[in-house]
Short mmCIF file of all heavy atoms in Angstrom, two decimals:
data_model
loop_
_atom_site.label_atom_id
_atom_site.label_comp_id
_atom_site.label_asym_id
_atom_site.label_seq_id
_atom_site.Cartn_x
_atom_site.Cartn_y
_atom_site.Cartn_z
N GLU A 1567 16.71 15.00 22.79
CA GLU A 1567 17.18 16.09 21.95
C GLU A 1567 16.04 16.92 21.39
O GLU A 1567 16.13 18.14 21.21
CB GLU A 1567 18.06 15.57 20.84
CG GLU A 1567 19.40 15.05 21.32
CD GLU A 1567 20.20 14.40 20.21
OE1 GLU A 1567 19.60 14.12 19.14
OE2 GLU A 1567 21.40 14.13 20.42
N ARG A 1568 14.93 16.23 21.09
CA ARG A 1568 13.78 16.97 20.55
C ARG A 1568 13.02 17.70 21.66
O ARG A 1568 12.50 18.79 21.44
CB ARG A 1568 12.86 16.02 19.80
CG ARG A 1568 13.32 15.87 18.36
CD ARG A 1568 13.42 14.44 17.87
NE ARG A 1568 14.17 14.45 16.61
CZ ARG A 1568 15.50 14.39 16.56
NH1 ARG A 1568 16.22 14.32 17.64
NH2 ARG A 1568 16.12 14.42 15.38
N LEU A 1569 12.98 17.11 22.83
CA LEU A 1569 12.29 17.77 23.93
C LEU A 1569 13.03 19.03 24.37
O LEU A 1569 12.40 20.06 24.70
CB LEU A 1569 12.15 16.83 25.12
CG LEU A 1569 11.14 15.68 24.96
CD1 LEU A 1569 11.27 14.71 26.11
CD2 LEU A 1569 9.72 16.22 24.86
N THR A 1570 14.36 18.97 24.38
CA THR A 1570 15.15 20.09 24.86
C THR A 1570 15.61 21.00 23.74
O THR A 1570 16.16 22.07 24.00
CB THR A 1570 16.36 19.59 25.65
OG1 THR A 1570 17.17 18.77 24.79
CG2 THR A 1570 15.93 18.77 26.84
N GLY A 1571 15.46 20.56 22.49
CA GLY A 1571 15.91 21.34 21.35
C GLY A 1571 14.81 22.19 20.76
O GLY A 1571 13.94 22.71 21.47
N GLY A 1572 14.83 22.27 19.43
CA GLY A 1572 13.89 23.17 18.76
C GLY A 1572 12.59 22.53 18.34
O GLY A 1572 11.80 23.16 17.62
N ASN A 1573 12.33 21.27 18.73
CA ASN A 1573 11.12 20.60 18.28
C ASN A 1573 10.48 19.82 19.43
O ASN A 1573 10.35 18.60 19.37
CB ASN A 1573 11.44 19.65 17.11
CG ASN A 1573 10.20 19.30 16.30
OD1 ASN A 1573 9.08 19.64 16.69
ND2 ASN A 1573 10.40 18.62 15.20
N PRO A 1574 10.04 20.52 20.48
CA PRO A 1574 9.46 19.81 21.64
C PRO A 1574 8.16 19.11 21.32
O PRO A 1574 7.81 18.10 21.96
CB PRO A 1574 9.26 20.93 22.67
CG PRO A 1574 9.17 22.18 21.86
CD PRO A 1574 10.08 21.97 20.70
N VAL A 1575 7.42 19.60 20.32
CA VAL A 1575 6.15 18.94 19.94
C VAL A 1575 6.44 17.53 19.44
O VAL A 1575 5.75 16.56 19.79
CB VAL A 1575 5.41 19.78 18.88
CG1 VAL A 1575 4.18 19.00 18.37
CG2 VAL A 1575 5.01 21.12 19.44
N ALA A 1576 7.48 17.41 18.61
CA ALA A 1576 7.85 16.07 18.10
C ALA A 1576 8.28 15.17 19.25
O ALA A 1576 7.95 13.97 19.29
CB ALA A 1576 8.97 16.18 17.09
N GLY A 1577 9.03 15.74 20.22
CA GLY A 1577 9.45 14.94 21.38
C GLY A 1577 8.28 14.45 22.19
O GLY A 1577 8.23 13.29 22.62
N LEU A 1578 7.31 15.34 22.43
CA LEU A 1578 6.11 14.95 23.17
C LEU A 1578 5.30 13.90 22.41
O LEU A 1578 4.76 12.97 23.02
CB LEU A 1578 5.24 16.18 23.46
CG LEU A 1578 5.83 17.18 24.47
CD1 LEU A 1578 4.96 18.43 24.54
CD2 LEU A 1578 5.94 16.53 25.85
N ALA A 1579 5.25 14.06 21.09
CA ALA A 1579 4.52 13.08 20.28
C ALA A 1579 5.18 11.69 20.36
O ALA A 1579 4.49 10.67 20.44
CB ALA A 1579 4.46 13.55 18.81
N LEU A 1580 6.49 11.66 20.37
CA LEU A 1580 7.21 10.39 20.49
C LEU A 1580 6.96 9.77 21.86
O LEU A 1580 6.76 8.57 21.97
CB LEU A 1580 8.71 10.61 20.29
CG LEU A 1580 9.14 10.91 18.85
CD1 LEU A 1580 10.61 11.30 18.80
CD2 LEU A 1580 8.90 9.70 17.96
N CYS A 1581 6.98 10.60 22.90
CA CYS A 1581 6.68 10.10 24.25
C CYS A 1581 5.27 9.50 24.31
O CYS A 1581 5.06 8.42 24.90
CB CYS A 1581 6.83 11.20 25.28
SG CYS A 1581 8.54 11.73 25.56
N ALA A 1582 4.32 10.20 23.69
CA ALA A 1582 2.94 9.72 23.68
C ALA A 1582 2.83 8.41 22.89
O ALA A 1582 2.10 7.49 23.29
CB ALA A 1582 2.02 10.77 23.07
N GLY A 1583 3.59 8.32 21.81
CA GLY A 1583 3.57 7.10 21.02
C GLY A 1583 4.13 5.90 21.77
O GLY A 1583 3.55 4.81 21.74
N VAL A 1584 5.23 6.11 22.47
CA VAL A 1584 5.81 5.03 23.27
C VAL A 1584 4.85 4.63 24.40
O VAL A 1584 4.65 3.44 24.67
CB VAL A 1584 7.17 5.45 23.84
CG1 VAL A 1584 7.69 4.40 24.83
CG2 VAL A 1584 8.17 5.65 22.71
N ALA A 1585 4.22 5.62 25.05
CA ALA A 1585 3.28 5.32 26.12
C ALA A 1585 2.10 4.51 25.59
O ALA A 1585 1.64 3.57 26.23
CB ALA A 1585 2.79 6.63 26.76
N ALA A 1586 1.60 4.90 24.41
CA ALA A 1586 0.49 4.16 23.82
C ALA A 1586 0.88 2.74 23.48
O ALA A 1586 0.11 1.78 23.68
CB ALA A 1586 0.00 4.89 22.56
N LEU A 1587 2.10 2.57 22.99
CA LEU A 1587 2.61 1.24 22.67
C LEU A 1587 2.67 0.36 23.91
O LEU A 1587 2.24 -0.81 23.89
CB LEU A 1587 3.96 1.34 22.00
CG LEU A 1587 4.65 0.06 21.54
CD1 LEU A 1587 3.81 -0.62 20.47
CD2 LEU A 1587 6.04 0.35 21.02
N LEU A 1588 3.21 0.90 24.99
CA LEU A 1588 3.30 0.15 26.24
C LEU A 1588 1.91 -0.16 26.81
O LEU A 1588 1.69 -1.23 27.39
CB LEU A 1588 4.13 0.91 27.24
CG LEU A 1588 5.59 1.16 26.84
CD1 LEU A 1588 6.33 1.98 27.90
CD2 LEU A 1588 6.29 -0.18 26.58
N TRP A 1589 0.97 0.79 26.66
CA TRP A 1589 -0.40 0.58 27.10
C TRP A 1589 -1.03 -0.59 26.36
O TRP A 1589 -1.72 -1.43 26.95
CB TRP A 1589 -1.21 1.85 26.92
CG TRP A 1589 -2.67 1.70 27.27
CD1 TRP A 1589 -3.23 1.45 28.48
CD2 TRP A 1589 -3.77 1.78 26.34
NE1 TRP A 1589 -4.60 1.39 28.39
CE2 TRP A 1589 -4.96 1.59 27.11
CE3 TRP A 1589 -3.87 2.03 24.98
CZ2 TRP A 1589 -6.23 1.61 26.50
CZ3 TRP A 1589 -5.12 2.05 24.39
CH2 TRP A 1589 -6.28 1.85 25.15
N VAL A 1590 -0.77 -0.68 25.05
CA VAL A 1590 -1.32 -1.79 24.26
C VAL A 1590 -0.69 -3.11 24.74
O VAL A 1590 -1.39 -4.15 24.83
CB VAL A 1590 -1.05 -1.59 22.77
CG1 VAL A 1590 -1.41 -2.84 21.97
CG2 VAL A 1590 -1.85 -0.39 22.24
N CYS A 1591 0.58 -3.09 25.08
CA CYS A 1591 1.22 -4.30 25.62
C CYS A 1591 0.51 -4.74 26.90
O CYS A 1591 0.28 -5.95 27.11
CB CYS A 1591 2.70 -4.05 25.88
SG CYS A 1591 3.70 -3.80 24.40
N VAL A 1592 0.18 -3.80 27.76
CA VAL A 1592 -0.54 -4.12 29.00
C VAL A 1592 -1.91 -4.71 28.67
O VAL A 1592 -2.34 -5.69 29.30
CB VAL A 1592 -0.68 -2.87 29.88
CG1 VAL A 1592 -1.60 -3.16 31.07
CG2 VAL A 1592 0.69 -2.43 30.35
N LEU A 1593 -2.60 -4.14 27.69
CA LEU A 1593 -3.89 -4.68 27.28
C LEU A 1593 -3.78 -6.14 26.82
O LEU A 1593 -4.64 -6.96 27.11
CB LEU A 1593 -4.48 -3.83 26.16
CG LEU A 1593 -5.03 -2.45 26.53
CD1 LEU A 1593 -5.59 -1.76 25.29
CD2 LEU A 1593 -6.10 -2.55 27.61
N CYS A 1594 -2.72 -6.43 26.09
CA CYS A 1594 -2.52 -7.81 25.60
C CYS A 1594 -2.37 -8.77 26.77
O CYS A 1594 -2.88 -9.89 26.73
CB CYS A 1594 -1.28 -7.86 24.70
SG CYS A 1594 -1.49 -7.04 23.09
N VAL A 1595 -1.66 -8.35 27.80
CA VAL A 1595 -1.49 -9.19 28.98
C VAL A 1595 -2.82 -9.34 29.72
O VAL A 1595 -3.21 -10.45 30.14
CB VAL A 1595 -0.41 -8.62 29.92
CG1 VAL A 1595 -0.34 -9.41 31.21
CG2 VAL A 1595 0.95 -8.61 29.21
N ARG A 1596 -3.53 -8.24 29.86
CA ARG A 1596 -4.78 -8.26 30.60
C ARG A 1596 -5.85 -9.10 29.91
O ARG A 1596 -6.71 -9.72 30.56
CB ARG A 1596 -5.29 -6.84 30.82
CG ARG A 1596 -4.42 -6.02 31.77
CD ARG A 1596 -4.94 -4.62 31.95
NE ARG A 1596 -6.28 -4.60 32.53
CZ ARG A 1596 -7.00 -3.51 32.76
NH1 ARG A 1596 -6.48 -2.32 32.40
NH2 ARG A 1596 -8.19 -3.57 33.31
N MET A 1597 -5.83 -9.13 28.56
CA MET A 1597 -6.81 -9.96 27.88
C MET A 1597 -6.35 -11.41 27.75
O MET A 1597 -6.99 -12.23 27.10
CB MET A 1597 -7.13 -9.37 26.51
CG MET A 1597 -6.05 -9.47 25.47
SD MET A 1597 -6.52 -8.67 23.89
CE MET A 1597 -7.82 -9.78 23.34
N ARG A 1598 -5.19 -11.72 28.37
CA ARG A 1598 -4.68 -13.07 28.45
C ARG A 1598 -4.46 -13.70 27.08
O ARG A 1598 -4.93 -14.80 26.78
CB ARG A 1598 -5.61 -13.95 29.29
CG ARG A 1598 -5.77 -13.50 30.73
CD ARG A 1598 -6.60 -14.50 31.52
NE ARG A 1598 -5.95 -15.79 31.57
CZ ARG A 1598 -6.60 -16.95 31.72
NH1 ARG A 1598 -7.92 -16.94 31.82
NH2 ARG A 1598 -5.95 -18.09 31.76
N LEU A 1599 -3.73 -12.99 26.27
CA LEU A 1599 -3.31 -13.58 25.00
C LEU A 1599 -2.49 -14.82 25.28
O LEU A 1599 -1.81 -14.94 26.31
CB LEU A 1599 -2.48 -12.60 24.19
CG LEU A 1599 -3.18 -11.42 23.52
CD1 LEU A 1599 -2.23 -10.68 22.61
CD2 LEU A 1599 -4.41 -11.85 22.75
N PRO A 1600 -2.50 -15.78 24.38
CA PRO A 1600 -1.70 -17.00 24.57
C PRO A 1600 -0.23 -16.67 24.76
O PRO A 1600 0.29 -15.71 24.18
CB PRO A 1600 -1.95 -17.80 23.27
CG PRO A 1600 -3.28 -17.33 22.80
CD PRO A 1600 -3.36 -15.89 23.19
N LEU A 1601 0.45 -17.48 25.52
CA LEU A 1601 1.85 -17.25 25.85
C LEU A 1601 2.74 -17.02 24.62
O LEU A 1601 3.54 -16.08 24.62
CB LEU A 1601 2.39 -18.42 26.68
CG LEU A 1601 3.87 -18.33 27.06
CD1 LEU A 1601 4.10 -17.14 28.00
CD2 LEU A 1601 4.32 -19.65 27.71
N PRO A 1602 2.64 -17.84 23.56
CA PRO A 1602 3.52 -17.59 22.41
C PRO A 1602 3.32 -16.22 21.79
O PRO A 1602 4.28 -15.58 21.36
CB PRO A 1602 3.18 -18.71 21.42
CG PRO A 1602 1.96 -19.39 21.94
CD PRO A 1602 1.85 -19.07 23.39
N LEU A 1603 2.08 -15.73 21.75
CA LEU A 1603 1.84 -14.39 21.18
C LEU A 1603 2.39 -13.31 22.10
O LEU A 1603 2.94 -12.30 21.63
CB LEU A 1603 0.34 -14.16 20.99
CG LEU A 1603 -0.38 -15.10 20.02
CD1 LEU A 1603 -1.83 -14.73 19.87
CD2 LEU A 1603 0.31 -15.10 18.64
N LEU A 1604 2.28 -13.49 23.42
CA LEU A 1604 2.82 -12.51 24.36
C LEU A 1604 4.34 -12.45 24.25
O LEU A 1604 4.93 -11.36 24.24
CB LEU A 1604 2.40 -12.84 25.78
CG LEU A 1604 0.93 -12.59 26.14
CD1 LEU A 1604 0.66 -13.07 27.56
CD2 LEU A 1604 0.57 -11.12 26.01
N VAL A 1605 4.98 -13.60 24.23
CA VAL A 1605 6.45 -13.63 24.17
C VAL A 1605 6.93 -13.01 22.86
O VAL A 1605 7.82 -12.14 22.87
CB VAL A 1605 6.97 -15.07 24.32
CG1 VAL A 1605 8.48 -15.14 24.06
CG2 VAL A 1605 6.66 -15.60 25.71
N TYR A 1606 6.35 -13.44 21.76
CA TYR A 1606 6.76 -12.91 20.46
C TYR A 1606 6.50 -11.41 20.35
O TYR A 1606 7.39 -10.65 20.01
CB TYR A 1606 6.02 -13.66 19.35
CG TYR A 1606 6.14 -13.02 18.00
CD1 TYR A 1606 7.31 -13.15 17.26
CD2 TYR A 1606 5.10 -12.28 17.45
CE1 TYR A 1606 7.42 -12.55 16.01
CE2 TYR A 1606 5.19 -11.67 16.22
CZ TYR A 1606 6.38 -11.81 15.49
OH TYR A 1606 6.48 -11.22 14.26
N GLY A 1607 5.29 -10.99 20.67
CA GLY A 1607 4.95 -9.57 20.57
C GLY A 1607 5.80 -8.71 21.49
O GLY A 1607 6.27 -7.65 21.12
N GLY A 1608 5.98 -9.19 22.73
CA GLY A 1608 6.80 -8.43 23.67
C GLY A 1608 8.23 -8.28 23.23
O GLY A 1608 8.82 -7.20 23.32
N LEU A 1609 8.82 -9.36 22.71
CA LEU A 1609 10.20 -9.27 22.25
C LEU A 1609 10.35 -8.40 21.02
O LEU A 1609 11.35 -7.69 20.85
CB LEU A 1609 10.76 -10.67 21.98
CG LEU A 1609 11.09 -11.50 23.21
CD1 LEU A 1609 11.54 -12.88 22.83
CD2 LEU A 1609 12.15 -10.79 24.06
N MET A 1610 9.34 -8.40 20.14
CA MET A 1610 9.38 -7.52 18.99
C MET A 1610 9.39 -6.05 19.41
O MET A 1610 10.08 -5.21 18.82
CB MET A 1610 8.21 -7.80 18.04
CG MET A 1610 8.27 -9.15 17.36
SD MET A 1610 9.74 -9.41 16.33
CE MET A 1610 9.52 -8.16 15.09
N VAL A 1611 8.62 -5.73 20.44
CA VAL A 1611 8.61 -4.36 20.95
C VAL A 1611 9.97 -4.01 21.56
O VAL A 1611 10.53 -2.92 21.31
CB VAL A 1611 7.49 -4.18 22.00
CG1 VAL A 1611 7.62 -2.84 22.72
CG2 VAL A 1611 6.12 -4.30 21.34
N VAL A 1612 10.54 -4.93 22.35
CA VAL A 1612 11.83 -4.68 22.98
C VAL A 1612 12.91 -4.49 21.91
O VAL A 1612 13.73 -3.56 21.97
CB VAL A 1612 12.22 -5.85 23.90
CG1 VAL A 1612 13.68 -5.73 24.35
CG2 VAL A 1612 11.29 -5.89 25.10
N LEU A 1613 12.90 -5.35 20.89
CA LEU A 1613 13.91 -5.23 19.82
C LEU A 1613 13.78 -3.93 19.06
O LEU A 1613 14.80 -3.33 18.66
CB LEU A 1613 13.81 -6.43 18.87
CG LEU A 1613 14.20 -7.79 19.43
CD1 LEU A 1613 13.87 -8.89 18.45
CD2 LEU A 1613 15.67 -7.81 19.80
N ALA A 1614 12.55 -3.49 18.85
CA ALA A 1614 12.33 -2.24 18.10
C ALA A 1614 12.75 -1.03 18.93
O ALA A 1614 13.47 -0.13 18.43
CB ALA A 1614 10.88 -2.12 17.69
N LEU A 1615 12.32 -0.96 20.18
CA LEU A 1615 12.60 0.22 20.99
C LEU A 1615 14.03 0.27 21.48
O LEU A 1615 14.58 1.37 21.72
CB LEU A 1615 11.65 0.26 22.20
CG LEU A 1615 10.16 0.42 21.90
CD1 LEU A 1615 9.38 0.53 23.19
CD2 LEU A 1615 9.91 1.63 21.02
N CYS A 1616 14.66 -0.86 21.66
CA CYS A 1616 16.01 -0.88 22.24
C CYS A 1616 17.11 -1.07 21.19
O CYS A 1616 18.28 -1.23 21.55
CB CYS A 1616 16.11 -2.01 23.25
SG CYS A 1616 15.00 -1.78 24.67
N ALA A 1617 16.74 -1.03 19.93
CA ALA A 1617 17.74 -1.15 18.86
C ALA A 1617 18.39 0.21 18.61
O ALA A 1617 17.73 1.24 18.59
CB ALA A 1617 17.11 -1.68 17.58
N ALA A 1618 19.70 0.19 18.45
CA ALA A 1618 20.41 1.41 18.07
C ALA A 1618 20.23 1.63 16.57
O ALA A 1618 19.83 0.75 15.84
CB ALA A 1618 21.89 1.28 18.42
N GLY A 1619 20.55 2.85 16.13
CA GLY A 1619 20.54 3.09 14.70
C GLY A 1619 19.47 4.08 14.26
O GLY A 1619 18.90 4.83 15.07
N TYR A 1620 19.16 4.02 13.01
CA TYR A 1620 18.29 4.99 12.33
C TYR A 1620 16.87 4.97 12.92
O TYR A 1620 16.21 3.95 12.91
CB TYR A 1620 18.27 4.67 10.86
CG TYR A 1620 17.39 5.53 10.01
CD1 TYR A 1620 17.51 6.91 9.99
CD2 TYR A 1620 16.42 4.95 9.19
CE1 TYR A 1620 16.70 7.70 9.22
CE2 TYR A 1620 15.61 5.72 8.40
CZ TYR A 1620 15.74 7.10 8.40
OH TYR A 1620 14.94 7.88 7.63
N PHE A 1621 16.44 6.12 13.45
CA PHE A 1621 15.14 6.17 14.10
C PHE A 1621 14.01 5.86 13.14
O PHE A 1621 13.01 5.24 13.51
CB PHE A 1621 14.90 7.52 14.74
CG PHE A 1621 13.47 7.76 15.11
CD1 PHE A 1621 12.91 7.14 16.20
CD2 PHE A 1621 12.64 8.58 14.32
CE1 PHE A 1621 11.58 7.32 16.53
CE2 PHE A 1621 11.33 8.76 14.65
CZ PHE A 1621 10.79 8.14 15.76
N GLY A 1622 14.12 6.32 11.88
CA GLY A 1622 13.03 6.16 10.93
C GLY A 1622 12.64 4.72 10.67
O GLY A 1622 11.55 4.44 10.17
N SER A 1623 13.53 3.79 11.01
CA SER A 1623 13.22 2.36 10.80
C SER A 1623 12.42 1.76 11.95
O SER A 1623 11.90 0.64 11.80
CB SER A 1623 14.53 1.56 10.61
OG SER A 1623 15.19 1.93 9.43
N LYS A 1624 12.31 2.42 13.09
CA LYS A 1624 11.64 1.79 14.25
C LYS A 1624 10.19 1.45 13.96
O LYS A 1624 9.74 0.36 14.34
CB LYS A 1624 11.76 2.71 15.47
CG LYS A 1624 13.18 2.75 16.03
CD LYS A 1624 13.22 3.39 17.38
CE LYS A 1624 14.66 3.41 17.92
NZ LYS A 1624 15.20 2.06 18.15
N PRO A 1625 9.38 2.32 13.30
CA PRO A 1625 8.01 1.91 12.99
C PRO A 1625 7.97 0.66 12.13
O PRO A 1625 7.11 -0.23 12.31
CB PRO A 1625 7.43 3.13 12.26
CG PRO A 1625 8.25 4.26 12.75
CD PRO A 1625 9.63 3.72 12.93
N ARG A 1626 8.92 0.54 11.20
CA ARG A 1626 8.96 -0.64 10.35
C ARG A 1626 9.33 -1.88 11.14
O ARG A 1626 8.82 -2.99 10.86
CB ARG A 1626 9.96 -0.40 9.20
CG ARG A 1626 10.16 -1.59 8.29
CD ARG A 1626 10.97 -1.20 7.07
NE ARG A 1626 12.30 -0.76 7.38
CZ ARG A 1626 13.34 -1.56 7.58
NH1 ARG A 1626 13.18 -2.88 7.53
NH2 ARG A 1626 14.53 -1.06 7.84
N LEU A 1627 10.21 -1.74 12.12
CA LEU A 1627 10.59 -2.89 12.94
C LEU A 1627 9.41 -3.42 13.75
O LEU A 1627 9.38 -4.60 14.13
CB LEU A 1627 11.73 -2.50 13.89
CG LEU A 1627 13.06 -2.11 13.22
CD1 LEU A 1627 14.07 -1.68 14.27
CD2 LEU A 1627 13.61 -3.23 12.38
N LEU A 1628 8.43 -2.56 14.01
CA LEU A 1628 7.25 -2.97 14.77
C LEU A 1628 6.18 -3.62 13.88
O LEU A 1628 5.23 -4.18 14.40
CB LEU A 1628 6.64 -1.77 15.50
CG LEU A 1628 7.39 -1.31 16.76
CD1 LEU A 1628 6.86 0.04 17.21
CD2 LEU A 1628 7.25 -2.33 17.87
#
Side-chain angles (χ1 to χ4, degrees):
E1567 289 174 347
R1568 273 131 194 88
L1569 288 172
T1570 60
N1573 199 353
V1575 174
L1578 291 173
L1580 288 172
C1581 290
V1584 172
L1587 181 63
L1588 297 178
W1589 176 66
V1590 171
C1591 292
V1592 172
L1593 287 181
C1594 290
V1595 174
R1596 292 179 62 182
M1597 71 182 292
R1598 299 185 63 206
L1599 286 188
L1601 179 65
L1603 298 183
L1604 288 176
V1605 171
Y1606 168 76
L1609 285 177
M1610 292 301 296
V1611 171
V1612 170
L1613 291 173
L1615 295 184
C1616 297
Y1620 178 56
F1621 165 74
S1623 294
K1624 289 192 180 295
R1626 177 170 62 84
L1627 296 177
L1628 284 168

